[in-house]
Amino acid sequence: MLELHDITAGYDKNTPVVRNATLALAPGESVGLLGPSGCGKSTLARVAALLHRPDRGTVMLDGEPVRGWRYRAPRPQRTAFGVVFQQPRLSADPRLRLTDLIAEPLRATGRRDETAPRLAELVVSVGLTSDLLDRRPHEVSDGQLQRACLARALVLRPRWLICDEMTAMLDASTAAALVAAVEDYRAATGAGLLAVGHDQVLLDRWCDRTVHWEKLTAAAAGE
């Protein structure tokens, strides 16, 4: 279970962008978080993925409170999440070849020996071709780079996926392919999903349920 209780968060404690938000996801559940640009949903997604410490509130993972964030989080908690961001070029090291980009989490966790079999599996599942793996981000399209970023998110076999506007910058066919790749992974592993976006049609089709941002924060405030 992934639970966020009464979360207030931002980048300046005097002006938080998220106030009193509460959200829970059951194992294997897919939840869409719908809201307009700038409302704070991406910040809440980063809190959920243990990438941003909230100013107030509690994150519970499998019944245990989260006490560390980013690299201070215990490895079992930290590696339980795979995250795909909206802008692949801002989340990819431009110096790395795609093969190294995808394998980066394996090397960071001392699992370098898994690189070859995981790459072989993931390249097919996300729709990359082997000739792209030696290229760097500036040598591939946005869609190809986002496929690599999805592979990177899946490489540690996470139990939770956070997709923050994953398809917003992509054409319709690439977006559909990436959503299908996520759903194939979830069907095989039982992973839970938090999909953040502002396209209600997409989220309603993709997810078991869609939570509207204003209701999320209003319910937490007791309105």
Side-chain angles (χ1 to χ4, degrees):
M1 194 79 175
L2 175 61
E3 302 167 89
L4 289 78
H5 296 287
D6 197 27
I7 298 295
T8 293
Y11 307 94
D12 179 343
K13 290 187 177 182
N14 295 320
T15 55
V17 295
V18 177
R19 297 176 184 269
N20 309 112
T22 294
L23 180 66
L25 287 78
E29 185 182 22
S30 57
V31 175
L33 179 55
L34 177 70
S37 297
C39 69
K41 60 187 185 297
S42 291
T43 299
L44 186 64
R46 291 179 64 85
V47 171
L50 313 189
L51 294 177
H52 185 82
R53 179 190 290 274
D55 299 325
R56 191 177 69 233
T58 303
V59 177
M60 302 284 291
L61 182 60
D62 301 327
E64 296 292 330
V66 171
R67 304 189 187 281
W69 306 87
R70 296 184 67 83
Y71 297 108
R72 295 181 181 272
R75 181 174 291 182
Q77 290 188 338
R78 186 173 74 242
T79 58
F81 294 91
V83 186
V84 187
F85 300 99
Q86 176 179 353
Q87 300 186 54
R89 299 199 183 277
L90 296 182
S91 63
D93 187 331
R95 301 167 297 179
L96 295 181
R97 298 175 304 153
L98 295 195
T99 185
D100 298 317
L101 172 72
I102 296 168
E104 195 175 12
L106 289 172
R107 292 167 181 164
T109 53
R111 298 163 59 179
R112 188 184 296 264
D113 59 329
E114 298 179 35
T115 298
R118 287 298 286 148
L119 276 174
E121 179 183 347
L122 287 167
V123 165
V124 173
S125 66
V126 302
L128 284 173
T129 54
S130 58
D131 62 294
L132 296 174
L133 295 181
D134 283 332
R135 300 185 189 181
R136 289 177 169 79
H138 72 277
E139 298 173 316
V140 299
S141 69
D142 287 346
Q144 291 165 338
L145 184 56
Q146 191 68 308
R147 290 174 190 269
C149 289
L150 175 57
R152 178 181 59 185
L154 300 179
V155 74
L156 294 180
R157 296 184 175 90
R159 295 186 293 112
W160 300 95
L161 287 173
I162 311 293
C163 295
D164 184 8
E165 303 269 15
M166 178 183 74
T167 64
M169 300 180 66
L170 307 178
D171 61 75
S173 62
T174 304
L178 289 185
V179 168
V182 168
E183 288 308 292
D184 287 345
Y185 175 80
R186 293 185 59 245
T189 65
L193 168 70
L194 177 63
V196 176
H198 57 261
D199 183 339
Q200 183 165 358
V201 173
L202 172 63
L203 293 180
D204 285 348
R205 289 178 177 174
W206 187 3
C207 301
D208 298 327
R209 60 187 174 97
T210 300
V211 178
H212 292 248
W213 180 259
E214 64 274 12
K215 294 181 180 179
L216 177 83
T217 52
E223 297 177 9

